[in-house]
Amino acid sequence: MTTIPFKHLNQGYEIRCEYHGHTLHVRAYKDGKPANGFNYSVSFEAVFDMKTTQGQDAVAILAEDAKRDITEDRWQKLLSALSDR
């Protein structure tokens, strides 16, 4: 498992990137618990293909997306949009 710690609004978070079988899961955590409802996953094959055919690092891309979920408050925005329906 890879962890990427970061701070946002003086609060500590971490992005966890870990494989379960042949699937990579990436999620933001705060105080050891999921920080929101977003959970990114991609197959090992897709990670490999992105690296070999496109030169892209799927782990880094998904980790950055998970971090932006926190810094842009995307989960709360989604919940607000859904409750306004």
Side-chain angles (χ1 to χ4, degrees):
M1 176 171 59
T2 300
T3 59
I4 304 165
F6 72 98
K7 287 200 177 272
H8 176 62
L9 301 176
N10 293 319
Q11 296 184 23
Y13 294 88
E14 70 179 9
I15 305 300
R16 294 184 189 174
C17 307
E18 56 188 327
Y19 281 96
H20 295 279
H22 293 282
T23 305
L24 170 70
H25 294 273
V26 178
R27 190 166 198 176
Y29 286 81
K30 180 180 177 212
D31 300 326
K33 298 177 185 171
N36 57 39
F38 293 123
N39 181 25
Y40 296 96
S41 62
V42 65
S43 70
F44 174 78
E45 292 84 1
V47 172
F48 180 79
D49 287 347
M50 286 180 69
K51 188 69 164 180
T52 58
T53 63
Q54 300 173 11
Q56 295 182 328
D57 184 348
V59 175
I61 291 168
L62 294 177
E64 187 58 35
D65 283 344
K67 184 176 178 180
R68 269 191 299 239
D69 290 341
I70 300 299
T71 60
E72 296 177 12
D73 202 22
R74 292 176 178 173
W75 183 250
Q76 192 56 44
K77 290 176 181 175
L78 174 62
L79 293 179
S80 294
L82 292 173
S83 69
D84 290 342
R85 289 183 162 188

